[in-house]
């Protein structure tokens, strides 16, 4: 039995519903009304959505060009939660899906962890697969932790688009899976970075450690890659043991590290294999970093082979870093011919780009990095042939920077750096072999020396200045307590020869310019300048003058070979005052009265210097 339309509450909506709809519903039964109203409601819903779409389309945010909106999406992407941008509206979703660069950026900023240490975490590939599919045809940069076997098959459809692969390997099986992937060829790969972190603490403290890393150097699964498998590879950062297996003629930047610095098994097998690998990229290599990977020296075998080793000319190399704590790192330099503009850095301590997570703790048997091997020294001397400026920093560690003149720009650029982190090392054991070799023809003509003495001075180190007989200019930064001891070194090692007879001339007989930066205790200069009585100031200046006069007078008149300065500068500064201001700060001159006091006290010094004498920096004191 059907209900009449007149019995339904249609009249209540008469003011809302269009008259045409009311007329259409008149005389219908309840079931027909339900059917008709549902159909009209769906029609009106689509109509309302269309109106909303038109409304949104004319909003300023939706009138942005496609390219601009795509760029905004790329800039705003942070992590997986940024997917919500594609859920805002239809246009935003369409724009995101039509921007392959957005998904390539998403891959670059995501680290895909595809397995747990014991495969207890389920494999998760769906998100990675989705990003890879949406990034077509853009090249991608991938960071992956773990390399299970199944990963190869997920990467295979996109293997030709992977430009950078940064991966962490945790087992020999994972290394095998990666190697098989590389052997299959990756035509677009430009950067390969392999890190092998030690995650098992018990393995780390075991001795001898029982870890798969011990098998690296001899594992059969890791064979040399076929020629042409990585035709575009330029940047390489891998454990050193793998370098001979992957070296190719396109490499420009190579960093070789050691996951376990104290394990010889995973170092480079030999210097010979290193040279053979370098020979493959001799024409293209620009940066080479060797961090704790050099093999244990074997004089009998390596020397014999080295005698017949063909020299390798690395024509494009501009930066060489060798970090090695067990022995001097010059061995691999024997047989290498480097460009005259190459920068060499040798160190026995940690490095900022060291990929290993632990710090540097030299053991009791730690040796200074200088190797007495004469052939190694000859290699270093050949690298120092163009040096004209040396900067030494002596504190709890020793750092030496050597500079050469850039003929085109007439500026100094760092050429050679050597540093040791051994505390209280004797400077002469490092400086003398490098700059005063037994072979005269290898002598380096250093004319400028910049020396920073931080933790005091030692009277047994006159060899520092003796190592540079051709010095023309010396700049020394020294604390006031060690000023006299430092100045005395410029006088000479003694009045007589080592056998007690004769007399000896001053060190650095050609020295003409001396600049001394004297650091005095904080708060010691202000009272001298603010005191109404100039007597204290005059006494202070006279004392400083006497310290210099004794040495300069001996050099100028009393030494067997007189040596007079043409320029002398004494710069006083309080402790910490130059750290924030720098040495380029405008130096405040003394007042006229203070200048007269200095002039009177320094009369004797003016007679000992054939040129200008400058006494400045007094007012560069720090605030209380």
């Amino acid at each position: 039995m059907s209900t009449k339309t007149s019995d339904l509450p249609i009249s209540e909506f008469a003011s809302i519903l269009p008259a045409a709809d009311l007329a259409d519903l008149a005389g219908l039964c309840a079931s027909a009304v339900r059917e008709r109203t549902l159909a009209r409601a769906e029609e009106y819903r689509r109509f309302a959505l269309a109106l909303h779409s038109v409304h949104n389309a004319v909003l300023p945010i939706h009138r942005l060009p496609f390219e601009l909106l795509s760029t905004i999406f790329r800039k705003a992407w942070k992590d997986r939660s940024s997917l919500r941008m594609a859920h805002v509206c239809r246009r935003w979703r369409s724009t995101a899906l039509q921007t392959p660069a957005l998904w390539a950026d998403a891959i670059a900023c995501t680290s895909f962890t595809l397995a747990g240490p014991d495969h207890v975490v389920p494999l998760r590939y769906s998100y990675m697969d989705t990003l890879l599919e949406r990034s077509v045809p853009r090249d991608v940069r991938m960071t992956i932790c773990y390399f299970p076997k199944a990963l190869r098959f997920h990467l295979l459809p996109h293997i030709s688009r992977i430009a950078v692969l940064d991966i962490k390997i945790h087992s020999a099986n994972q290394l095998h899976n990666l190697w098989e992937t590389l052997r299959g060829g990756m035509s677009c790969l430009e950067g390969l970075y392999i890190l092998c972190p030690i995650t098992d603490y018990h393995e780390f403290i075991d001795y001898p450690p029982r870890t798969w890393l011990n098998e690296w150097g001899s594992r059969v699964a890791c064979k040399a890659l076929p020629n042409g498998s990585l035709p575009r590879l330029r940047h390489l950062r891998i454990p050193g043991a793998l370098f001979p297996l992957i070296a190719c003629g396109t490499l420009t930047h190579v960093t070789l590290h050691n996951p376990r610095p104290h394990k010889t098994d995973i170092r480079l097998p030999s210097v010979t294999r290193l040279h053979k690998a370098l020979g493959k990229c001799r024409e293209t290599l620009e940066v080479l970093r060797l961090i704790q990977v050099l093999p244990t020296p074997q004089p009998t075998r390596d020397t014999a082979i080295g005698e017949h080793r063909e020299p390798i000319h690395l024509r494009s190399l501009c930066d060489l870093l060798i970090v090695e704590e067990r022995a001097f790192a010059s061995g691999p330099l024997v047989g290498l011919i480097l460009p005259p503009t190459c920068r060499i850095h040798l160190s026995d301590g940690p490095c900022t780009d060291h990929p290993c997570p632990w710090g540097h703790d030299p053991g009791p048997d730690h040796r200074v990095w200088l190797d007495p091997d004469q052939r190694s020294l000859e290699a270093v001397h050949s690298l120092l042939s163009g040096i004209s400026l040396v900067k030494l920093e002596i504190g709890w560690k020793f750092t030496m920077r050597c500079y050469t003149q850039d003929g085109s720009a007439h500026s100094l650029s760092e050429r050679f750096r050597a540093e040791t982190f051994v505390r209280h090392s004797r400077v002469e054991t490092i400086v003398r072999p490098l700059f005063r070799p037994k072979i005269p023809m290898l002598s380096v003509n250093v004319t400028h020396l910049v020396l920073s003495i931080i933790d005091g001075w030692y009277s047994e180190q006159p060899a520092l200045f003796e190592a540079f007989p051709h010095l023309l200019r010396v700049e020394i930064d020294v604390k006031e307590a060690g000023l006299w001891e430092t100045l005395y070194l410029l006088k000479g090692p003694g009045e007589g020869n080592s056998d007690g007879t004769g007399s000896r001339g001053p060190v650095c007989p050609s020295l003409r310019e001396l600049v001394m930066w004297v650091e005095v205790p904080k708060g010691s200069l202000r009272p001298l300048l603010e005191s109404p009585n100039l007597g204290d100031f005059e006494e202070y200046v006279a004392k400083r003058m006497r310290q210099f006069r004794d040495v300069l007078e001996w050099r100028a008149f009393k030494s067997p070979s007189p040596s007079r300065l043409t320029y002398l500068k004494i710069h006083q500064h309080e402790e910490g005052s130059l750290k924030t201001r720098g040495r380029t700060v405008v130096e405040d001159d003394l007042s006229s009265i203070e200048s007269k006091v200095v002039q009177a006290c320094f009369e004797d010094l003016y007679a000992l210097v054939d040129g200008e004498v400058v006494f400045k920096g007094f007012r560069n004191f720090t605030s209380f």
Side-chain angles (χ1 to χ4, degrees):
M1 184 175 178
S2 60
T3 304
K4 296 181 178 180
T5 306
S6 58
D7 299 331
L8 299 176
I10 295 178
S11 59
E12 298 179 12
F13 303 98
S15 61
I16 301 176
L17 295 175
D21 288 339
L22 292 174
D24 191 38
L25 296 175
L28 297 179
C29 63
S31 60
V33 169
R34 288 197 301 272
E35 182 179 353
R36 186 65 60 86
T37 53
L38 287 176
R40 293 293 288 171
E42 177 61 24
E43 182 179 350
Y44 280 126
R45 189 185 69 82
R46 294 195 299 268
F47 181 68
L49 291 176
L51 289 177
H52 280 298
S53 297
V54 173
H55 174 272
N56 292 338
V58 298
L59 290 175
I61 188 62
H62 286 288
R63 298 174 67 183
L64 294 175
F66 172 86
E67 295 78 10
L68 181 56
L69 190 57
S70 299
T71 302
I72 293 175
F73 286 167
R74 294 182 62 185
K75 296 291 185 181
W77 186 280
K78 294 182 179 179
D79 50 35
R80 190 170 182 174
S81 63
S82 301
L83 283 170
R84 291 175 294 185
M85 292 188 301
H87 301 163
V88 173
C89 65
R90 181 183 306 171
R91 183 168 185 264
W92 283 28
R93 176 176 175 80
S94 175
T95 301
L97 293 177
Q98 296 179 52
T99 308
L102 170 65
W103 308 106
D105 292 345
I107 294 174
C109 66
T110 303
S111 179
F112 299 99
T113 302
L114 301 174
D118 299 314
H119 298 278
V120 295
V121 179
L123 301 182
R124 301 182 182 126
Y125 295 104
S126 58
Y127 179 59
M128 183 187 71
D129 290 342
T130 300
L131 295 182
L132 285 172
E133 291 172 2
R134 291 179 178 178
S135 64
V136 176
R138 298 296 294 262
D139 294 343
V140 295
R141 305 167 57 93
M142 300 196 69
T143 301
I144 301 175
C145 185
Y146 302 99
F147 203 107
K149 187 175 183 179
L151 178 60
R152 292 178 53 198
F153 302 100
H154 288 264
L155 295 180
L156 188 59
H158 311 280
I159 203 71
S160 62
R161 295 191 299 112
I162 300 179
V164 176
L165 183 59
D166 190 343
I167 187 164
K168 293 182 180 179
I169 298 295
H170 296 78
S171 69
N173 289 332
Q174 293 180 26
L175 176 61
H176 173 72
N177 297 333
L178 170 63
W179 219 250
E180 289 302 310
T181 303
L182 297 176
R183 288 178 63 85
M186 299 181 69
S187 58
C188 188
L189 190 67
E190 296 184 0
L192 177 61
Y193 312 116
I194 303 176
L195 183 62
C196 300
I198 305 297
T199 56
D200 188 345
Y201 178 74
H202 296 289
E203 285 187 352
F204 184 77
I205 63 176
D206 265 348
Y207 187 83
R210 295 184 294 274
T211 173
W212 64 275
L213 294 175
N214 295 353
E215 306 172 7
W216 264 30
S218 59
R219 184 170 176 80
V220 180
C222 294
K223 299 179 180 179
L225 298 180
N227 293 332
S229 56
L230 304 176
R232 296 177 59 181
L233 185 63
R234 298 176 61 247
H235 293 256
L236 192 64
R237 186 174 69 242
I238 60 174
L242 295 179
F243 181 56
L245 307 177
I246 200 173
C248 56
T250 57
L251 292 172
T252 59
H253 294 68
V254 173
T255 299
L256 307 181
H257 60 84
N258 189 344
R260 300 290 291 272
H262 300 289
K263 289 300 296 178
T264 59
D265 311 50
I266 50 182
R267 291 174 175 268
L268 284 163
S270 66
V271 175
T272 302
R273 293 195 65 181
L274 170 63
H275 280 224
K276 184 178 296 185
L278 292 176
K280 297 180 180 180
C281 50
R282 66 171 70 193
E283 300 294 336
T284 58
L285 193 59
E286 299 175 4
V287 177
L288 176 61
R289 297 184 173 94
L290 306 175
I291 305 174
Q292 307 285 5
V293 297
L294 298 182
T296 303
Q298 300 180 11
T300 304
R301 186 183 69 180
D302 289 344
T303 303
I305 297 176
E307 295 294 342
H308 306 285
R309 185 187 301 141
E310 180 183 356
I312 299 177
H313 192 175
L314 302 178
R315 308 177 191 279
S316 303
L317 195 68
C318 57
D319 196 330
L320 172 64
L321 166 66
I322 301 179
V323 179
E324 184 60 52
E325 68 178 39
R326 299 172 305 117
F328 182 47
S330 68
L333 297 177
V334 178
L336 295 183
I337 302 177
L338 308 181
T341 56
C342 180
R343 175 181 178 273
I344 300 97
H345 181 184
L346 306 181
S347 175
D348 71 345
C351 183
T352 54
D353 53 3
H354 198 313
C356 298
W358 51 85
H360 176 75
D361 184 19
D365 59 343
H366 186 99
R367 294 182 296 165
V368 175
W369 50 259
L370 187 58
D371 188 344
D373 179 13
Q374 186 60 40
R375 297 181 66 253
S376 297
L377 292 178
E378 291 177 14
V380 177
H381 292 149
S382 66
L383 301 176
L384 297 175
S385 58
I387 300 303
S388 60
L389 171 64
V390 175
K391 178 178 181 179
L392 296 173
E393 295 182 0
I394 300 175
W396 71 272
K397 66 177 183 179
F398 169 85
T399 300
M400 176 175 61
R401 297 184 180 94
C402 302
Y403 299 82
T404 187
Q405 190 81 18
D406 186 347
S408 59
H410 300 286
S411 60
L412 295 172
S413 58
E414 186 176 288
R415 171 81 165 85
F416 180 89
R417 177 187 294 191
E419 58 187 20
T420 176
F421 284 76
V422 180
R423 293 176 180 270
H424 309 303
S425 60
R426 294 175 61 88
V427 176
E428 60 266 32
T429 63
I430 299 177
V431 175
R432 186 190 290 272
L434 287 178
F435 293 96
R436 292 295 299 273
K438 296 179 180 179
I439 305 178
M441 62 180 297
L442 295 177
S443 180
V444 181
N445 185 24
V446 176
T447 58
H448 291 65
L449 175 65
V450 180
L451 177 64
S452 176
I453 305 173
I454 302 173
D455 294 334
W457 190 248
Y458 304 97
S459 59
E460 69 273 11
Q461 294 180 334
L464 173 62
F465 290 101
E466 291 180 340
F468 305 103
H470 307 294
L471 281 178
L472 298 176
R473 180 183 175 92
V474 173
E475 297 182 36
I476 305 178
D477 193 341
V478 62
K479 291 187 177 181
E480 185 178 31
L483 176 61
W484 167 244
E485 289 81 0
T486 304
L487 284 173
Y488 189 77
L489 297 179
L490 293 173
K491 185 175 181 181
E495 296 291 344
N497 293 326
S498 58
D499 57 1
T501 61
S503 60
R504 303 179 64 178
V507 296
C508 315
S510 302
L511 183 65
R512 293 297 176 263
E513 299 181 7
L514 177 62
V515 179
M516 299 289 292
W517 298 76
V518 184
E519 181 183 276
V520 299
K522 186 175 181 180
S524 62
L525 297 182
R526 186 188 294 268
L528 295 174
L529 298 177
E530 296 181 348
S531 174
N533 183 10
L534 289 178
D536 295 339
F537 176 73
E538 183 178 2
E539 181 181 354
Y540 186 91
V541 175
K543 177 183 176 182
R544 183 71 73 236
M545 182 274 299
R546 286 193 297 269
Q547 291 177 310
F548 282 83
R549 184 187 61 185
D550 181 73
V551 174
L552 297 185
E553 187 177 33
W554 188 89
R555 291 179 63 90
F557 299 113
K558 299 181 180 180
S559 65
S561 54
S563 175
R564 295 177 63 91
L565 296 181
T566 59
Y567 179 78
L568 173 64
K569 178 178 180 180
I570 306 170
H571 190 291
Q572 302 275 142
H573 64 95
E574 287 189 359
E575 181 181 359
S577 63
L578 296 184
K579 292 182 179 178
T580 56
R581 302 186 184 190
R583 293 188 177 181
T584 58
V585 66
V586 177
E587 300 164 343
D588 296 323
D589 292 329
L590 297 171
S591 67
S592 58
I593 298 179
E594 294 162 350
S595 297
K596 291 180 181 179
V597 172
V598 173
Q599 184 82 12
C601 294
F602 272 42
E603 282 295 335
D604 292 342
L605 280 186
Y606 297 147
L608 299 175
V609 178
D610 297 334
E612 187 179 8
V613 177
V614 180
F615 188 61
K616 282 194 173 185
F618 248 93
R619 297 190 182 275
N620 286 332
F621 43 69
T622 55
S623 300
F624 288 104

